[in-house]
Amino acid sequence: MLKFFRIIRFDLMEQNKTGKYFKYAIGEIVLVVIGILIALWLNNLRERSENHKSECFYLTNLLDNLNEDKTEILFILDQQDDRVSARNSFFQLLNNDFDEQIVSSAYSKIAEFNLTFFANPAAFYSIKSSGSLGLIKNKELQLKLSNLYEKVYYRIDYNGQLYDQRIEMTSAKLIPYFDYSTKEFTNWDIIKNNQLRNIIAFEQDYNVFYTSLLENAIIKIEELQEIILKEIERCD
């Protein structure tokens, strides 16, 4: 094609047709500009298509992570509710002339492994670290994602660690009084002087605070799930 244009230019110059040559040159420039614009448009169209595919891929992964997080939080809330009930039952036993075996059995339920939440932020931090957060066109969604992963989840993680540490401290403190292998009290002084009651009451208050953080996270997750599902509809 370029060779064809060069032949035409050469013929016009040889025939000394200056006016026609300049008109032809201008026309050639216009064609070149149009060709460049078409190439840019096609490249932009291809880039937009690739970005759209990437956005859909990220949105799908984000939704999967959020679904996993919600399922785990709901499970942990059930487990923490059981701990609250176990503590309340334990307090009621201490208010009466208690049977030592029943009290030991009741406390063993409180002393069971404390389950706290650890989020799955893989998709979010993959998007952020690669600088691809801007591919998500919905700006509200961008803000809500950042709030969940960098504020709400951070607070849960921080307080979950404090909660776990508190439980571990209580377990260590009760070693001289409670045999964790037989699940029986070997020394009742910590109960008679109300020290254990105070320790568990503090844990109960912290449990309420921690579960309120998880319940708030569920609200945030459900808001995000609704927005993401609407965005994913554009991918079909």
Side-chain angles (χ1 to χ4, degrees):
M1 181 65 73
L2 291 175
K3 184 177 180 181
F4 174 74
F5 286 142
R6 281 199 299 268
I7 292 173
I8 294 176
R9 285 200 306 269
F10 182 76
D11 288 343
L12 290 173
M13 290 176 67
E14 275 199 337
Q15 296 172 20
N16 200 24
K17 296 180 179 180
T18 308
K20 289 185 177 181
Y21 174 79
F22 280 117
K23 288 180 182 179
Y24 169 79
I26 292 171
E28 186 176 329
I29 292 171
V30 171
L31 287 174
V32 171
V33 171
I34 291 173
I36 292 172
L37 291 175
I38 291 173
L40 289 173
W41 177 76
L42 290 173
N43 184 65
N44 181 260
L45 189 65
R46 182 169 57 254
E47 184 178 345
R48 286 169 58 187
S49 176
E50 291 174 355
N51 287 343
H52 179 66
K53 290 179 181 178
S54 295
E55 180 189 17
C56 293
F57 172 77
Y58 288 136
L59 288 172
T60 301
N61 286 338
L62 283 167
L63 185 62
D64 287 342
N65 284 177
L66 290 172
N67 289 338
E68 291 172 11
D69 288 346
K70 181 180 177 181
T71 298
E72 183 176 352
I73 290 176
L74 291 174
F75 175 75
I76 292 171
L77 284 171
D78 286 340
Q79 193 261 3
Q80 293 296 347
D81 284 344
D82 290 341
R83 293 181 72 85
V84 169
S85 298
R87 290 191 186 102
N88 287 335
S89 297
F90 185 75
F91 288 146
Q92 291 176 4
L93 288 173
L94 297 183
N95 291 332
N96 305 309
D97 293 330
F98 56 81
D99 179 283
E100 292 185 356
Q101 185 175 357
I102 294 176
V103 169
S104 292
S105 177
Y107 181 74
S108 67
K109 294 180 180 178
I110 300 173
E112 291 176 355
F113 177 71
N114 183 54
L115 192 61
T116 49
F117 173 66
F118 291 93
N120 181 3
F124 176 75
Y125 285 117
S126 174
I127 297 170
K128 187 175 180 182
S129 63
S130 64
S132 301
L133 194 58
L135 291 177
I136 298 177
K137 297 182 181 66
N138 190 317
K139 303 304 177 185
E140 179 190 8
L141 177 56
Q142 285 188 30
L143 292 173
K144 287 183 178 293
L145 283 169
S146 296
N147 179 66
L148 177 70
Y149 284 99
E150 298 180 334
K151 183 178 179 181
V152 176
Y153 278 178
Y154 175 82
R155 195 177 184 198
I156 289 174
D157 183 58
Y158 175 76
N159 284 282
Q161 291 182 47
L162 293 180
Y163 192 16
D164 287 336
Q165 289 170 8
R166 180 70 191 187
I167 298 297
E168 290 172 3
M169 288 172 58
T170 298
S171 296
K173 193 170 186 177
L174 261 68
I175 288 176
Y177 306 94
F178 187 79
D179 188 330
Y180 286 93
S181 60
T182 62
K183 297 183 178 181
E184 293 179 341
F185 280 99
T186 56
N187 186 327
W188 293 88
D189 290 344
I190 196 169
I191 291 179
K192 292 177 180 178
N193 61 19
N194 286 326
Q195 187 179 1
L196 182 58
R197 180 192 292 272
N198 295 334
I199 291 172
I200 296 177
F202 179 84
E203 290 180 0
Q204 189 81 318
D205 290 340
Y206 209 91
N207 181 290
V208 172
F209 171 69
Y210 182 70
T211 54
S212 70
L213 296 179
L214 296 179
E215 289 166 352
N216 177 59
I218 288 290
I219 295 172
K220 303 295 184 186
I221 289 172
E222 290 178 343
E223 289 176 356
L224 282 166
Q225 287 174 318
E226 184 177 352
I227 296 172
I228 291 174
L229 283 171
K230 288 181 180 179
E231 292 297 311
I232 288 178
E233 288 177 1
R234 298 189 296 104
C235 298
D236 298 332

